[in-house]
Amino acid sequence: MNDNDKDLEKDLDIPEETIESTDTEEMETSDDGKMTEQETAEDTEETESKTADNAEVTETGDTEKEDTTEDKKDTAEKKKKDSKIKGLFKSRKFRKGGFSIIFVAVFVAVIIVLNMVAGLLTSKIPALTFDLSTMKTAELSQDTIDFVQTINKEVTITVLAPESKYVSANQYYLMANTLLKQYRNYSKKIKIEYVDLTANPTFTSQYPDDTLSSGNYIVECGNKHRILTNSDLFKFTQDMYGSSQITSMEVEPAVTTAILNVTSENQTKVRFIDGFGDYDATYFKTLLEKNNYDVGTINTLTEKIEDSVEALILFTPSVDLDDTSIKKIKDFLNNNGNYGKDFFYVALEQKVEMPKFDAFLEEWGVKMGDGIVMETDSSKLVSVNTAFFSLLDYSTNSSEYTQGLKNKTLNVLGGYIIPIEITNENTAIPLLQTSESAKLIKFSEADNRDLDINKIEGKLYNASTISTKTSGNDEKSSVVAFGSNFMFSSNALSIPSYNNGAYLINMMNKLTDNTDEGITIDGKNLESTSLGITTDQINFITGICMAGIPLIIIIVGVVIWVRRRNR
């Protein structure tokens, strides 16, 4: 066997037995003849094919080894990453951070759920709502609450609009609706309904004498009802460009007054006397109407005073009364000897020559003073800019007319007061008084710039008096005089920190035997509000903020510094 055969054997990897067999066959066939060249070529091709196959197998094996090595590396790296991730999850830092994330997620979820539950509860139970606004736009006043709790008749308040459209129209309707729902929280007798006029066009036929519009309220009890329009529910003002803006929400006073009117059996008639100068008693008239008074006017020179009228009011006359009017007033108070009538006089803040009317007052034991009162007691002043506006005290002799006041600690506010002198103490008593340090600036000295205030004696002055005469059957007629018309202004009556409205209504109710609950409710001012505090209170608060608090901080800081230094 030559070297090439050995090499071929090696390449093909042929077993020795096969090779020996082949050599034997070659020897056996040597005598017969040699292989043809064609057979030799075929054997050579077959050998080369096997060699190529073996080479491919070898290459495939090498590739598989390389792939296996790479797979092992990938597996190792993956295990390493998995190990790091598992380590991260097991780390203290992750546990703390994960706990924080879970806590926040749970907390947010709880807040969302509580918010949803609170929303559902407050929509079903309005009493659960809390009003944190400055003017308490979503809360009823205590006067209204006390009143509605006494109602013993069924009252229905109908809003002429679907509730969903009403509350979504604007923020003011939303506030109005929220406040309206508070009524049923304090009285089971009050029911609130909503009517869509578009869906119920025949609804208006039930009120043929009224003009109804979307957004109106109907307050109804039995066969009596009151219609409240937007102008009743809101106060509008116009800017310089003619645009209307809502400055106050009057829903509570309007609705409460309407409930009072439809549930009351009778109204007390009051008439303002016209014909003796212009006057503006708009706010006072409104206050009376809100408290179930039938308010009107009368010209005593030409008209007869009806027997059903309980009280006459002469508001800031600028001219003297005629004899006919004086006689009618006297006859009215006498009431054919039966008495039981009342007359109210409110003075103008300037000197007016009225000899006939002054003579009438003298018959009732009072006389108007000659000047304007200036207050010098700083605890009674409401402004540092003027001493002519001051807080008035209730006279100890007139406790009868303060009984029923819900807050007797509040003062009545007066301004530009003409003092009232009592000439007959058997007939007249004081109602409201200044401090003992008040001083009188006479009308003749009003323009005197050289006037020395210190030389004027301080004394107590009467700002209001009541004179009473009694008939044989103990019926009383009264003449009430007020030296300040500012007491009846919108400023004095609308600020809840003063008792003007409550005091006046309480007194009038007692004098006219009006048994209705006195209501002095103001609207919700949506603009700036007055604090209603005195000069002394302002100075006290200023001192606390500018001196007291800084001093406390300094003292605490020094104490801490000393203690730390001595450790």
Side-chain angles (χ1 to χ4, degrees):
M1 183 179 296
N2 55 24
D3 295 335
N4 291 333
D5 292 335
K6 291 179 179 179
D7 292 337
L8 181 61
E9 180 184 344
K10 184 177 180 180
D11 291 337
L12 295 175
D13 197 19
I14 300 175
E16 289 186 3
E17 293 180 356
T18 304
I19 295 174
E20 288 177 357
S21 176
T22 303
D23 291 343
T24 304
E25 288 178 357
E26 287 178 351
M27 292 177 66
E28 288 177 354
T29 57
S30 59
D31 296 337
D32 295 331
K34 294 181 180 180
M35 293 176 64
T36 62
E37 294 179 358
Q38 184 176 358
E39 291 174 347
T40 301
E42 291 177 355
D43 291 340
T44 302
E45 289 178 359
E46 184 178 352
T47 300
E48 292 177 352
S49 175
K50 290 180 179 180
T51 301
D53 292 339
N54 288 335
E56 289 179 0
V57 170
T58 302
E59 292 178 358
T60 301
D62 293 340
T63 303
E64 289 177 353
K65 289 180 180 180
E66 292 176 358
D67 291 343
T68 302
T69 302
E70 291 178 359
D71 290 341
K72 289 181 179 180
K73 289 181 179 179
D74 293 340
T75 302
E77 291 179 358
K78 186 175 181 181
K79 288 182 178 180
K80 190 175 181 180
K81 290 180 179 179
D82 292 342
S83 178
K84 288 182 178 180
I85 293 172
K86 290 179 180 179
L88 178 64
F89 281 109
K90 293 180 180 180
S91 68
R92 186 177 180 182
K93 182 178 181 181
F94 178 82
R95 287 199 301 271
K96 287 186 175 181
F99 178 77
S100 299
I101 293 173
I102 294 173
F103 177 79
V104 171
V106 171
F107 179 78
V108 171
V110 170
I111 292 298
I112 293 174
V113 172
L114 288 176
N115 189 52
M116 294 174 62
V117 172
L120 292 173
L121 288 176
T122 53
S123 64
K124 299 294 183 182
I125 311 174
L128 295 177
T129 59
F130 297 94
D131 187 359
L132 301 179
S133 62
T134 304
M135 287 303 297
K136 303 298 181 183
T137 56
E139 288 186 5
L140 297 175
S141 66
Q142 192 60 45
D143 277 354
T144 292
I145 294 172
D146 293 341
F147 166 66
V148 298
Q149 289 178 339
T150 64
I151 296 175
N152 55 12
K153 299 179 181 179
E154 299 292 334
V155 176
T156 301
I157 304 173
T158 304
V159 181
L160 300 185
E163 184 177 9
S164 59
K165 290 184 178 180
Y166 187 72
V167 299
S168 62
N170 57 54
Q171 60 177 329
Y172 302 110
Y173 286 155
L174 175 60
M175 289 191 294
N177 191 68
T178 302
L179 185 64
L180 184 64
K181 286 187 173 182
Q182 293 295 321
Y183 281 87
R184 64 188 184 190
N185 295 334
Y186 299 101
S187 176
K188 294 181 179 180
K189 297 291 185 179
I190 297 177
K191 181 172 62 174
I192 300 174
E193 298 179 347
Y194 298 85
V195 174
D196 186 351
L197 293 180
T198 303
N200 300 275
T202 60
F203 179 82
T204 57
S205 61
Q206 302 176 37
Y207 308 90
D209 299 329
D210 300 301
T211 301
L212 302 179
S213 300
S214 181
N216 290 170
Y217 292 3
I218 302 176
V219 182
E220 198 166 12
C221 178
N223 58 356
K224 299 172 68 176
H225 72 274
R226 286 283 301 273
I227 307 296
L228 302 178
T229 65
N230 277 338
S231 60
D232 297 316
L233 302 174
F234 303 98
K235 180 185 286 186
F236 297 85
T237 59
Q238 286 190 334
D239 58 23
M240 59 185 300
Y241 303 104
S243 300
S244 295
Q245 294 181 340
I246 294 177
T247 58
S248 177
M249 186 171 69
E250 304 293 322
V251 173
E252 183 182 359
V255 172
T256 303
T257 300
I259 294 174
L260 174 62
N261 291 338
V262 298
T263 56
S264 297
E265 297 296 335
N266 300 300
Q267 285 185 302
T268 303
K269 283 188 177 182
V270 174
R271 295 294 179 261
F272 282 76
I273 299 175
D274 285 347
F276 301 100
D278 296 330
Y279 65 91
D280 183 8
T282 304
Y283 207 94
F284 183 47
K285 287 181 178 180
T286 302
L287 179 63
L288 292 173
E289 290 172 347
K290 289 179 179 179
N291 284 272
N292 202 34
Y293 281 87
D294 179 356
V295 180
T297 60
I298 185 173
N299 189 320
T300 52
L301 183 62
T302 59
E303 296 179 71
K304 179 184 176 181
I305 303 174
E306 298 177 359
D307 293 338
S308 58
V309 174
E310 297 293 333
L312 293 175
I313 300 176
L314 180 63
F315 203 87
T316 64
S318 56
V319 296
D320 198 7
L321 274 64
D322 59 274
D323 293 331
T324 301
S325 296
I326 293 288
K327 185 178 185 305
K328 286 184 178 180
I329 295 172
K330 289 182 177 180
D331 291 343
F332 168 77
L333 291 169
N334 182 267
N335 192 25
N336 296 320
N338 295 318
Y339 288 36
K341 302 292 184 178
D342 302 289
F343 175 80
F344 297 85
Y345 165 61
V346 182
L348 194 64
E349 69 277 6
Q350 63 189 42
K351 186 176 180 61
V352 180
E353 296 293 341
M354 297 194 299
K356 294 179 181 179
F357 184 71
D358 288 342
F360 165 78
L361 291 179
E362 286 273 9
E363 293 178 12
W364 288 83
V366 293
K367 177 182 179 181
M368 301 305 297
D370 181 26
I372 300 292
V373 173
M374 181 182 73
E375 183 61 75
T376 61
D377 184 346
S378 60
S379 66
K380 300 297 183 181
L381 297 178
V382 295
S383 173
V384 296
N385 299 320
T386 179
F388 293 100
F389 294 93
S390 61
L391 300 178
L392 301 173
D393 295 321
Y394 307 111
S395 171
T396 56
N397 298 330
S398 61
S399 58
E400 175 186 354
Y401 303 104
T402 57
Q403 291 177 0
L405 284 178
K406 295 176 180 177
N407 191 348
K408 297 179 183 179
T409 62
L410 296 179
N411 296 90
V412 172
L413 176 63
Y416 292 100
I417 302 166
I418 297 178
I420 305 172
E421 179 184 352
I422 294 178
T423 59
N424 185 347
E425 294 183 353
N426 295 324
T427 303
I429 60 172
L431 291 174
L432 300 170
Q433 296 176 309
T434 67
S435 74
E436 294 182 351
S437 59
K439 298 182 179 183
L440 181 65
I441 308 299
K442 293 185 177 182
F443 288 119
S444 59
E445 299 287 344
D447 297 327
N448 184 5
R449 296 184 179 182
D450 298 326
L451 181 64
D452 189 353
I453 303 298
N454 295 323
K455 293 183 178 180
I456 301 176
E457 181 185 1
K459 60 178 293 187
L460 183 147
Y461 290 96
N462 300 319
S464 178
T465 61
I466 182 170
S467 306
T468 306
K469 292 183 179 182
T470 307
S471 67
N473 55 4
D474 291 332
E475 287 293 327
K476 296 180 180 179
S477 281
S478 301
V479 171
V480 184
F482 293 92
S484 170
N485 63 78
F486 180 79
M487 294 182 194
F488 300 83
S489 67
S490 60
N491 291 331
L493 292 174
S494 63
I495 300 176
S497 53
Y498 305 132
N499 227 10
N500 291 48
Y503 177 77
L504 293 172
I505 291 300
N506 185 70
M507 181 183 64
M508 290 198 67
N509 284 349
K510 289 184 178 298
L511 291 176
T512 61
D513 294 327
N514 187 339
T515 58
D516 290 322
E517 179 81 12
I519 299 175
T520 54
I521 303 164
D522 297 304
K524 310 292 186 179
N525 190 353
L526 303 179
E527 295 182 317
S528 60
T529 57
S530 172
L531 292 177
I533 58 179
T534 65
T535 303
D536 281 358
Q537 291 171 327
I538 292 173
N539 293 335
F540 176 76
I541 295 172
T542 302
I544 290 294
C545 295
M546 297 185 66
I549 295 176
L551 183 61
I552 291 173
I553 294 173
I554 291 173
I555 293 173
V556 171
V558 171
V559 171
I560 294 173
W561 178 76
V562 171
R563 291 186 63 183
R564 288 184 176 179
R565 186 178 181 182
N566 294 332
R567 284 180 180 178

